[in-house]
Amino acid sequence: MFKSVLIAEDHESANISLRKTLDELGINNTYVYYCDDALSRIRRAIFDGAPYDLLITDLYFEADERQQQLDGGEALIAAAKEVQPGLKILVFSAEHRPAVIEGLFRDQGINGYVRKARRDAQELKQAVQSMSDGKLHIPVHLRQAMKHNNAHEFTDFDVTIITLLSEGMRQKDIPAFLQQNQIRPSGLSSIEKRLNLMKDTLSFSKNEQLVAYCKDMGII
């Protein structure tokens, strides 16, 4: 089990909840409300010869009168990894879009993600335990979304069509836009085929459902 954990969370209620959960696990923990302070703590702990085992951070921090160099959790994660490459990272955030969360695992190299929601304290304990055993903690809703997304591989052409629909463009007007921007194919029949394929694969009957799904998934 982890021996020393640093919490970076600017909402006091969430901060207290995290500390209580770690206390129940018998884990020594330190907390800060600002990303810059978190990085300073990480550097200091390394200098003192007692580096942290785990950083728990939110993604989004509200700006106030105190100016910060690190403007959010992603910036903190990148900076912390540079200072201490082996530091384990657990993100605790209300962010629910699978594409965003998946990107944190793929691009930022995080080790776990817990969404702020009902029963999140219980999942936090499970995540900490799994990560202390060297495993990744991937939330259930992300695993389900990844499985669903894998049912259809979205092409750049698909994303362009869906984006135009989301912006209010009528389907029959899309060919003219594609032609003007030299995007191929640009025929209405090609557009209809791709939309029908996506809807059939993802079990949707309307374009509006497909657009809403892609927004929720962070595809557009």
Side-chain angles (χ1 to χ4, degrees), residues 54-202:
L54 171 66
L55 167 65
I56 300 178
T57 181
D58 196 351
L59 284 180
Y60 308 113
F61 289 73
E62 292 184 16
D64 60 15
E65 69 282 353
R66 180 175 169 182
Q67 192 169 358
Q68 298 287 298
Q69 291 185 337
L70 302 175
D71 60 0
E74 290 194 57
L76 171 58
I77 292 169
K81 285 282 190 178
E82 186 174 344
V83 172
Q84 186 180 342
L87 180 64
K88 297 289 182 68
I89 308 289
L90 172 62
V91 174
F92 181 54
S93 174
E95 175 61 69
H96 71 283
R97 291 172 294 176
V100 175
I101 302 170
E102 188 176 356
L104 292 171
F105 281 96
R106 182 185 63 247
D107 303 327
Q108 297 279 61
I110 69 169
N111 305 93
Y113 190 97
V114 174
R115 181 183 173 190
K116 293 179 180 178
R118 295 184 181 91
R119 294 181 292 277
D120 53 16
Q122 180 178 350
E123 188 180 354
L124 274 167
K125 291 180 180 179
Q126 295 172 352
V128 170
Q129 181 63 61
S130 295
M131 292 168 60
S132 68
D133 292 335
K135 302 174 184 177
L136 294 179
H137 180 81
I138 302 175
V140 174
H141 86 281
L142 177 58
R143 293 198 298 269
Q144 293 173 339
M146 290 169 64
K147 183 178 179 181
H148 200 179
N149 279 348
N150 288 338
H152 178 79
E153 185 175 348
F154 287 87
T155 65
D156 291 341
F157 184 64
D158 295 338
V159 173
T160 297
I161 295 171
I162 298 168
T163 300
L164 292 173
L165 289 174
S166 73
E167 293 173 349
M169 185 175 291
R170 295 180 298 180
Q171 184 173 318
K172 66 179 183 179
D173 295 331
I174 293 178
F177 176 89
L178 298 179
Q179 291 169 10
Q180 291 172 2
N181 290 274
Q182 299 182 340
I183 299 174
R184 300 289 186 270
S186 59
L188 183 59
S189 62
S190 296
I191 295 168
E192 291 173 344
K193 287 179 182 178
R194 290 305 297 180
L195 287 172
N196 288 335
L197 174 62
M198 287 185 277
K199 287 185 290 188
D200 288 345
T201 302
L202 298 170

Side-chain angles (χ1 to χ4, degrees), residues 199-219:
K199 287 185 290 188
D200 288 345
T201 302
L202 298 170
S203 301
F204 296 132
S205 60
K206 299 179 180 179
N207 287 345
E208 292 80 4
Q209 294 172 314
L210 178 61
V211 169
Y213 169 81
C214 290
K215 285 182 177 180
D216 288 341
M217 294 300 105
I219 296 170

